[in-house]
């Protein structure tokens, strides 16, 4: 059973460009979570999605950030008009059910904004 | 959200036990105590969780104080591969997101 996959692993964008980060959850998992980790800090929750629904986006910045988890395909975290402060590692996690105790994390996407 | 307090860093010698403390004085009755660890350049990895009773699994043991205001993650024999940042997290069963703090950076010396 393949683990959570994220791509790309490294992404470089110039200020003002768009960044698209993809997350494929583990097989059978319908719950996806996105976290951001700034250098030398802990992870910060961003958004929790189920298939086709955003359940909790309380950690998402109000502007430029959006997330989706379509019926088919991976979950996408989109950052429009990136700024240097968006440089961070973005981790996705998945779980099989709402009440699952364990979240399985992907290897992360390291975004660098130049 | 209830907060946790952990030491910034700890050191251990290889093959010795390690006790990683966590204070959570504002824990509520429905908060589970979770521990994750993050190895360098990797995503976090689940270690263990508990509610009231002490818990053991193949990776570690979790000792929970009787009043639940603190807990300790115990690695019985530290190896070099256990060097990581260890996060203690409180998670209400009704919420599926987890709020990570700064964690404890564990260094294991050979």
């Amino acid at each position: 059973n393949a683990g959570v996959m994220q791509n790309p692993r490294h992404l470089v964008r110039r200020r003002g460009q768009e960044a698209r980060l993809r997350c494929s959850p583990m097989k059978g998992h319908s719950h996806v979570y996105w976290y951001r980790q700034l250098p030398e800090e802990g992870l910060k929750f961003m958004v929790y999605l189920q298939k086709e629904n955003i359940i909790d986006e309380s950690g998402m910045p109000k502007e430029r950030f959006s997330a989706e988890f379509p019926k088919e395909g991976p979950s996408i975290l989109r950052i429009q008009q990136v700024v240097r402060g968006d440089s961070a590692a973005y981790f996705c996690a998945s779980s099989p059910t709402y009440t699952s105790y364990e979240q399985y994390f992907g290897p992360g996407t390291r975004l660098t904004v130049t | 959200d209830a907060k946790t307090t952990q030491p910034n860093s700890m050191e251990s010698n290889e093959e010795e036990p390690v006790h990683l403390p966590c204070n959570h004085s504002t824990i509520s009755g429905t908060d589970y105590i979770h521990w994750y660890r993050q190895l360098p350049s990797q995503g976090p990895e689940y270690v263990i969780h508990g509610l009231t009773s002490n818990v053991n699994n193949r990776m570690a043991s979790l000792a929970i104080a009787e009043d639940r205001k603190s807990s300790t993650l115990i690695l019985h024999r530290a190896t070099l591969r256990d060097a990581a940042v260890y996060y203690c997290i409180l998670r209400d069963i009704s919420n599926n997101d987890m709020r990570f703090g700064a964690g404890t950076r564990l260094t294991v010396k050979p």
Side-chain angles (χ1 to χ4, degrees):
Chain A
N1 189 4
V4 176
M5 294 192 292
Q6 292 188 248
N7 66 79
R9 293 292 307 276
H10 299 274
L11 182 61
V12 179
R13 284 286 178 265
R14 292 199 188 97
R15 279 180 298 170
Q17 291 185 319
E18 178 178 284
R20 282 196 178 204
L21 288 61
R22 294 175 191 77
C23 169
S24 296
M26 286 183 71
K27 188 176 180 181
H29 288 194
S30 58
H31 301 253
V32 165
Y33 319 82
W34 286 93
Y35 296 82
R36 177 167 65 175
Q37 185 172 35
L38 296 171
E40 304 302 320
E41 294 187 15
L43 279 75
K44 303 288 186 217
F45 166 78
M46 298 181 74
V47 63
Y48 160 43
L49 310 101
Q50 292 181 40
K51 283 286 188 182
E52 302 183 273
N53 291 305
I54 296 175
I55 307 302
D56 180 355
E57 57 182 346
S58 57
M60 286 276 271
K62 294 284 187 285
E63 297 176 352
R64 302 187 297 109
F65 285 72
S66 63
E68 62 178 12
F69 189 16
K71 188 176 181 181
E72 301 291 338
S75 176
I76 306 285
L77 179 68
R78 184 182 293 109
I79 311 172
Q80 296 177 302
Q81 299 176 312
V82 295
V83 300
R84 287 223 172 97
D86 297 332
S87 296
Y90 291 82
F91 292 95
C92 147
S94 72
S95 67
T97 65
Y98 177 76
T99 56
S100 173
Y101 293 117
E102 183 175 351
Q103 291 184 9
Y104 299 80
F105 282 81
T109 293
R110 277 151 185 83
L111 172 66
T112 302
V113 179
T114 61
Chain B
D1 294 323
K3 286 192 64 174
T4 62
T5 304
Q6 300 176 254
N8 290 334
S9 62
M10 291 184 65
E11 281 190 356
S12 169
N13 293 318
E14 197 176 9
E15 301 203 359
E16 290 186 357
V18 182
H19 291 233
L20 297 164
C22 181
N23 288 321
H24 29 78
S25 57
T26 59
I27 190 171
S28 74
T30 54
D31 282 331
Y32 282 78
I33 303 159
H34 289 248
W35 284 82
Y36 279 71
R37 71 179 185 181
Q38 187 175 21
L39 279 65
S41 300
Q42 295 187 28
E45 173 188 32
Y46 168 83
V47 178
I48 200 166
H49 79 277
L51 183 62
T52 56
S53 304
N54 295 344
V55 184
N56 300 297
N57 66 20
R58 63 176 179 80
M59 289 182 71
S61 295
L62 176 60
I64 302 173
E66 197 168 331
D67 63 5
R68 301 212 320 129
K69 292 181 187 283
S70 65
S71 61
T72 302
L73 179 71
I74 302 165
L75 306 179
H76 296 286
R77 287 183 65 196
T79 70
L80 297 178
R81 288 175 296 179
D82 290 324
V85 177
Y86 286 78
Y87 297 100
C88 169
I89 302 158
L90 298 183
R91 178 181 162 194
D92 189 294
I93 194 59
S94 64
N95 293 325
N96 230 328
D97 58 67
M98 291 192 295
R99 314 285 167 156
F100 287 75
T104 296
R105 183 175 298 277
L106 175 66
T107 302
V108 180
K109 296 183 289 185

